[in-house]
Amino acid sequence: MAEYWIASRPRGAPEPTDDIRRFIAASRQSARSGQRLRRAALGSIFAFVFSAQQIFTDIYQLGHYFPIAFAAIAIGTAIAGFANSRFVDRLGMRVISHGALLGYVTVSGIMLAAAKLQMLPLPLFLALSALMMFAFGLMISNFTALAMEPQGRIAGTASSLYGSITTLLGIAVGSTIGQNYDGTLLPFATGFFLCTLASLGVVLVVEKGRLFRPHQVAV
């Protein structure tokens, strides 16, 4: 749309500013790389945030202990950040993020199966949620870095655009899952699993079916 506006502006109209040109370049690069779709497909994390209080207070009856349980699950993200800093140079961003994504799909599938069988006690739910947070922490940091890789001098503008679009899409997906809460874990677990499958599908398309390609370090 912005490119069309530049091409069709009236004769004598002022030239677009450098900010507008950077915005257009960032939009083109983001759309071409497809990396922003990866994070957008991870609306599951927003679904967890939107549904957490209902799950812990209505289903598991934790009451005022809810913040403690929520914080305990978030420890997985903190551990992921530390682990990523230790292994990313050795393994590469693609190997770590793709492995974490497959683990994310596996854990969410286990949660869905347990929810359908009504065999998801609080300790198991906490353990699975912490594992998913761990996988999410590994994915989001590396996928974001991969998305910024081709941006070069417009990385600042591209990062802002990337964050805005993916956050808005994630909120839309997460709120849709949260609105389907029916007093059980099944809608949440189903939405979570579908989001992870969508994420895997997008990554397979963007990577042309080749996962775990080593990250090429610039010399």
Side-chain angles (χ1 to χ4, degrees):
M1 182 65 71
E3 290 175 311
Y4 173 78
W5 172 77
I6 290 177
S8 61
R9 71 185 191 281
R11 180 174 298 180
E15 288 289 326
T17 64
D18 291 340
D19 289 337
I20 293 177
R21 293 189 182 277
R22 280 196 296 269
F23 178 82
I24 294 171
S27 302
R28 188 186 303 118
Q29 287 284 354
S30 296
R32 186 179 299 142
S33 67
Q35 300 287 348
R36 62 187 175 89
L37 293 177
R38 293 173 172 175
R39 188 177 173 189
L42 299 181
S44 53
I45 198 66
F46 290 95
F48 181 82
V49 173
F50 295 152
S51 306
Q53 186 171 4
Q54 295 169 316
I55 291 173
F56 285 119
T57 59
D58 294 348
I59 297 177
Y60 291 113
Q61 301 292 317
L62 288 185
H64 59 275
Y65 291 107
F66 154 66
I68 298 176
F70 191 79
I73 291 172
I75 292 175
T77 306
I79 297 174
F82 177 77
N84 189 62
S85 68
R86 302 285 294 180
F87 297 109
V88 67
D89 287 337
R90 187 184 311 171
L91 300 176
M93 292 186 290
R94 282 184 171 83
V95 172
I96 291 177
S97 57
H98 294 168
L101 177 56
L102 292 178
Y104 201 55
V105 173
T106 302
V107 174
S108 64
I110 294 173
M111 179 179 287
L112 176 58
K116 281 191 172 183
L117 295 173
Q118 297 184 350
M119 298 174 58
L120 195 55
L122 179 60
L124 179 58
F125 179 77
L126 290 175
L128 293 176
S129 298
L131 286 173
M132 286 191 291
M133 286 294 180
F134 176 77
F136 181 80
L138 291 176
M139 284 189 300
I140 200 62
S141 56
N142 289 292
F143 279 152
T144 301
L146 286 169
M148 294 301 104
E149 216 176 15
Q151 308 304 333
R153 64 185 181 84
I154 60 170
T157 304
S159 179
S160 300
L161 181 65
Y162 172 87
S164 299
I165 293 175
T166 55
T167 299
L168 289 173
L169 290 175
I171 289 173
V173 174
S175 61
T176 300
I177 296 173
Q179 290 297 320
N180 286 309
Y181 175 76
D182 62 354
T184 70
L185 284 168
L186 194 55
F188 168 77
T190 302
F192 217 102
F193 184 63
L194 291 177
C195 283
T196 59
L197 286 181
S199 302
L200 179 60
V202 171
V203 171
L204 287 172
V205 170
V206 173
E207 299 288 2
K208 299 179 180 179
R210 294 171 294 177
L211 298 180
F212 301 105
R213 291 186 304 169
H215 175 60
Q216 294 181 350
V217 180
V219 179

